[in-house]
Amino acid sequence: MYRTHNCGDLSLDQLNQNVTLCGWVQKNRNKGFIIWIDLRDRYGITQLVFDEERTPKAIFENAQSLAREFVIQVQGTVIERESKNPNMTTGAIEVLVHDLKILNPSKTPPFTIENDTDGGEELRMQYRYLDIRRNPVKAKLLFRHRVSMAVRNYLSKAGFIDVETPYLIKSTPEGARDFVVPSRMNEGQFYALPQSPQTFKQLLMVGGMDRYFQIVKCFRDEDLRADRQPEFTQIDCEMAFVEQEDILNQFEGLTRHLLKEIKGIEVDTFPRISFDEAMKTYGNDKPDIRFGMTFCELNELAQGKGFSVFDSQELVVGITVPEAAEMSRKEIDALIEWVKRPQIGAKGLVYVKCLSDGSFKSSVDKFFSPEDLAAWAGHCKAQAGDLILVLSGDTKTTRTQLSALRMEMAERLGLRNPEVFAPLWVTDFPLLEWDDESKRYHAMHHPFTAPKPEHLNLLKSDPASVKANAYDLVLNGNEIGGGSIRIHNQELQSQMFDLLGFSKKEAQAQFGFLMDAFQYGAPPHGGIAFGLDRLVAILGGEETIRDFIAFPKNNSGRDVMIDAPAPIDDAQLAELSLKITAAKKE
Amino acid sequence: MYRTHNCGDLSLDQLNQNVTLCGWVQKNRNKGFIIWIDLRDRYGITQLVFDEERTPKAIFENAQSLAREFVIQVQGTVIERESKNPNMTTGAIEVLVHDLKILNPSKTPPFTIENDTDGGEELRMQYRYLDIRRNPVKAKLLFRHRVSMAVRNYLSKAGFIDVETPYLIKSTPEGARDFVVPSRMNEGQFYALPQSPQTFKQLLMVGGMDRYFQIVKCFRDEDLRADRQPEFTQIDCEMAFVEQEDILNQFEGLTRHLLKEIKGIEVDTFPRISFDEAMKTYGNDKPDIRFGMTFCELNELAQGKGFSVFDSQELVVGITVPEAAEMSRKEIDALIEWVKRPQIGAKGLVYVKCLSDGSFKSSVDKFFSPEDLAAWAGHCKAQAGDLILVLSGDTKTTRTQLSALRMEMAERLGLRNPEVFAPLWVTDFPLLEWDDESKRYHAMHHPFTAPKPEHLNLLKSDPASVKANAYDLVLNGNEIGGGSIRIHNQELQSQMFDLLGFSKKEAQAQFGFLMDAFQYGAPPHGGIAFGLDRLVAILGGEETIRDFIAFPKNNSGRDVMIDAPAPIDDAQLAELSLKITAAKKE
């Protein structure tokens, strides 16, 4: 027993007790005749006192040598503090030390272990084990634990069974790139790491497991974007004998439970919106609905009035920014520059200020009469004091640009409050999307998603118009989950592979086992997967996932702490019957 | 909503209710005018009745087409059965069907979906999704879920935090062979899949997480033995500021909790035995203590009496098999052949029958007097009716052989009752073991295990004699968990790597991050890891793990269902800057 209590335990309840504590030296105030030390562990901070008069001489001297991050064990008596700190759970007491053992000294840490550290991102990653000692990082990992336990217990109570699916599976070129694992025992052959347990969870449904879940690592060898990780965690779920409605209800229940259990927030029935409507109203299939600023299409009102910029375009569309008519010319100019940046790529931005006297001031006063602008304002539900911002162009691009502008304005106006939670189901996704590069259809969700039964007849004649029973759960503008009703019929699955450009032979080689399984009594089934990293981050009120992961990789997919990946021995390569190609070795 | 109830729900409580059920056709009895169908889902079986008089004609005719494993949906009325089946929860009722929908037909399954199937191992693996429908396999997966939830909730309540550690880490040649993962973004470099999260959990302790657990997949590229899997699951745990005693108590608590919660069994304080004592008493570091038959060493009593077979040997050692003196000459001969098989490799076997009249009959009557044999019996605590079996040879080999014989006798006598649970701590393992092949010491546990402080001075002079604070938890003759107190001091860790034959450069390249971490205030820490697959199997009363894994691999590391591993595209190889070496490609 190294300790009788932890550093968050003690209060006046333990007054005059002899206690043993362990922890790290957080802070050290040496007044010569008295030394105060803040001793830190996972559970809190306790103030230690070494006193020239009351602490044994040898111990007092030893205490002089203590520096930041030393690991120590102390024995002492709990005494009442003269000046209490009501912000600390242990703030009413301190421990008068009579014995001290240095368990491990510490070099001076490369950055301060404080809530606000002086350490840069790279340094913090290299010394991640020190970064984890900092309260904000530690708290995020503890928070993640709470969320995943709550998920497990909720699903388990609802009859879902945690089944572990394999990590060493088969590579399939569909979707993102696989990480592969050479097999030593099967020369020239490779396993792949799963991008998700999709086919296995479907096989569990064929196997009659009825309700499955797993919190599972998944892998994608993508060119990393900011805040993407090559390995990430999914809450993976599947149910048999269900329709879309059953799944939405079940996982709305889970999400509501998490909001209640973790955040203490009660949320109403989640609104639903179709993909088409989301694109039309928000320009985005994962709209943030914590605020309005919905799109108002202005083609009818704004075209044919002689403003050629609008007249030639497929779409003229605006948003109403509340109480922003006061923006200065300079601010507006900056906003115009903002939308013109290559990341957004708009050609320009039209604005209409709805002034408090009922008049309008716009960048297109030359082309539109006050009555025209009043009609815009009416259509866009703009009131006196509001600002209408309008973009035009081809539909897809313009919607994306206006969506970015909408988010930016919300950010500037402080409407993206991380402590407000606005979940939303987006439904009726298209089954397929056309890929200009490969000149073929891709599955929008994945190749196992079922078309809506009433659209089956369109599969051949008009594939692009086919909708799927596929849905995303969106929280505060982030997709936190997505799923679908799956195909459970061998012929339909085969037809789907045809549509996606698989030859019969390829389909059989890669997914033959699944299509075989469908011939032995596959039940109707569907499911959903949540991105745990992002879910936890958003519940935690943040949008970057990195600090919710204990040991994340950087944007080149490297773990800079352990320095991985790394070269391996030639002997190891030889055992795997592999050679690094000369061209690249240099 | 596909169903109002599941197939395990209904009883007389629902009499006369209209219900909708879904499931698989388990059995089909067609009497011409009446058809009974057993409908199965995860939750149970419900008997359906299609009756020429009471079921609509079209439905009745459709029911004729139903065959095994068809997936159907039925609507009907709950009625009381004439002949009730008290062995089924739904045995008092049946459902008189008035509507039937075939959701998916099924080809005739390649083996019967019954508790005892006619399917061989290979076939069952190939159609694993059908095998999972069988009650025994399904029950094992549900059982595993219960165990892992119980583990998580117990540990979480005890303050342990589930922290996910990375799967893409760095290859280290120590220990078993790593599976490696080529990195596309870092040419010529590789990640490795973790053999365990050992170093990461230690870094979490350095990071102040204090108590960590994770149920996590681990990977070892070994030549597979029966009942080994290339990927397996560990309950991985670590604690800071603890001594061995704290860890043993904590995880004895967990194990006791599981036995209580899962099996309803209360177990006393677990006995403890040192490694040396276990080897001396059972010839084995994971003894099955559900029965006695402990070793009695006979050197003093059996040597120097003119029996040259014994006289020349390092060890003469026996076991007393209770109530086995009645074995026939033929049975004894068969036993002698059994120990001579190459798997055991003994040269011969001496027996002494302790007859009911107090006399002895042995295979060495020529060399030993009745008084000699009486002395053996006294030393071996053999009573009238018992059989003493004696082997001799060099100590290590003979103990191993006698241990195998002890287990075999216990098996034959039915002493290995799977519903009796006898846990045991084995402690004080040697720190190192000498490897004749590589002519150097290997870490018995792993290179991070701390020597006992009182043995530190022997590290240089007599490394083989150094014991570690390392321990295994043994249950019914199986190691279910193992762990140790770790080194937390940079110098000692460095010395340990020296001892294991690492150059300073190698040690730094592979484990520099850990030794760095130890210089920034690493707390004393230790932990344990349980093999979940085996733990679950043993709690389930079985010794083979395969059916407790949803999708296991075969002994060549193949998943025969999905046919992995498999060749990958040349393009994929090229992206990874890899070539399969010509010699092996053929």
Side-chain angles (χ1 to χ4, degrees), chain A residues 11-44:
Chain A
S11 65
L12 287 173
D13 293 347
Q14 285 82 24
L15 201 64
N16 299 323
Q17 282 186 21
N18 274 318
V19 297
T20 309
L21 297 179
C22 290
W24 286 263
V25 173
Q26 171 79 29
K27 213 187 286 175
N28 191 335
R29 275 165 302 151
N30 191 336
K31 298 277 175 197
F33 58 97
I34 192 162
I35 302 169
W36 282 286
I37 296 236
D38 279 355
L39 188 68
R40 181 194 71 234
D41 68 9
R42 179 180 122 192
Y43 310 93

Side-chain angles (χ1 to χ4, degrees), chain A residues 11 24 43 47 99 164 173 189 193 234 264 285 328 349 368 412 557 564:
Chain A
S11 65
W24 286 263
Y43 310 93
Q47 182 165 297
D99 202 2
E164 296 176 52
Q189 301 192 7
L193 299 178
Q234 263 184 212
D285 63 359
S328 68
L349 173 68
F368 298 95
R412 293 186 187 191

Side-chain angles (χ1 to χ4, degrees), chain A residues 422-439:
Chain A
L424 169 74
W425 286 110
V426 180
T427 61
D428 304 326
F429 275 80
L431 181 69
L432 303 162
E433 58 184 343
W434 181 256
D435 182 55
D436 266 337
E437 207 175 306
S438 58
K439 298 282 173 223

Side-chain angles (χ1 to χ4, degrees), chain B residues 84-323:
Chain B
K84 299 194 175 50
N85 181 345
N87 299 321
M88 285 172 69
T89 51
T90 62
I93 57 95
E94 53 193 3
V95 172
L96 178 65
V97 177
H98 51 71
D99 202 2
L100 162 68
K101 193 172 169 188
I102 297 178
L103 297 173
N104 218 345
S106 173
K107 297 207 290 193
T108 305
F111 51 84
T112 55
I113 314 291
E114 304 276 357
N115 290 2
D116 292 311
T117 182
D118 56 354
E121 183 78 6
E122 270 295 303
L123 205 58
R124 288 175 47 213
M125 285 299 148
Q126 192 186 339
Y127 295 91
R128 185 62 167 176
Y129 45 86
L130 297 180
D131 205 26
I132 291 174
R133 285 190 202 154
R134 294 172 53 237
N135 279 327
V137 180
K138 183 185 72 183
K140 289 186 177 79
L141 296 180
L142 297 180
F143 183 78
R144 183 182 181 117
H145 165 70
R146 276 181 62 212
V147 174
S148 68
M149 284 303 293
V151 168
R152 289 180 192 283
N153 282 311
Y154 179 89
L155 290 175
S156 184
K157 235 177 242 172
F160 287 80
I161 301 299
D162 181 359
V163 181
E164 295 176 52
T165 53
Y167 277 77
L168 298 173
I169 65 167
K170 189 155 79 170
S171 188
T172 58
E174 180 63 20
R177 224 181 260 107
D178 285 322
F179 281 105
V180 296
V181 182
S183 164
R184 183 179 54 86
M185 289 173 66
N186 302 271
E187 283 174 5
Q189 301 193 6
F190 293 76
Y191 302 100
L193 300 177
Q195 295 183 31
S196 92
Q198 183 62 35
T199 49
F200 288 97
K201 69 176 174 175
Q202 293 192 241
L203 291 176
L204 287 172
M205 295 305 105
V206 178
M209 288 304 288
D210 208 90
R211 296 180 156 214
Y212 143 91
F213 85 101
Q214 191 183 190
I215 297 186
V216 62
K217 272 282 174 77
C218 301
F219 304 86
R220 270 179 214 171
D221 183 13
E222 288 177 303
D223 300 321
L224 298 175
R225 282 179 272 157
D227 218 32
R228 281 272 184 127
Q229 292 280 323
E231 49 177 303
F232 55 97
T233 306
Q234 263 182 211
I235 307 168
D236 194 50
C237 308
E238 198 79 2
M239 303 169 78
F241 301 115
V242 287
E243 289 156 351
Q244 171 171 306
E245 192 61 28
D246 302 308
I247 297 180
L248 299 193
N249 288 335
Q250 184 70 57
F251 292 96
E252 188 164 322
L254 168 64
T255 311
R256 191 178 287 113
H257 172 77
L258 291 179
L259 286 167
K260 182 82 197 340
E261 173 104 352
I262 303 289
K263 306 295 295 183
I265 290 172
E266 302 264 10
V267 185
D268 276 348
T269 305
F270 296 1
R272 298 183 189 182
I273 189 173
S274 73
F275 171 84
D276 286 347
E277 205 186 331
M279 295 310 289
K280 194 178 164 72
T281 316
Y282 298 98
N284 198 318
D285 63 358
K286 40 178 198 276
D288 190 337
I289 60 164
R290 279 174 296 182
F291 51 92
M293 293 199 269
T294 51
F295 287 13
C296 50
E297 298 193 350
L298 292 166
N299 289 36
E300 282 187 26
L301 296 173
Q303 287 182 329
K305 302 275 180 172
F307 184 50
S308 62
V309 171
F310 282 177
D311 288 350
S312 57
Q313 301 302 342
E314 195 180 358
L315 179 67
V316 182
V317 60
I319 55 172
T320 298
V321 185
E323 298 171 36

Side-chain angles (χ1 to χ4, degrees), chain B residues 20 47 75 92 144 193 204 250 410 461 484 552 581:
Chain B
T20 309
Q47 183 165 296
Q75 287 184 47
R144 183 182 181 117
L193 300 177
L204 287 172
Q250 184 70 57
S461 56
S484 64
T581 53

Side-chain angles (χ1 to χ4, degrees), chain A residues 76-87:
Chain A
T77 309
V78 180
I79 59 175
E80 189 165 358
R81 270 206 222 181
E82 277 185 37
S83 56
K84 298 194 175 52
N85 181 344
N87 299 322

Side-chain angles (χ1 to χ4, degrees), chain B residues 326 354-359 384-385:
Chain B
E326 304 286 292
C354 308
L355 301 176
S356 50
D357 62 3
S359 72

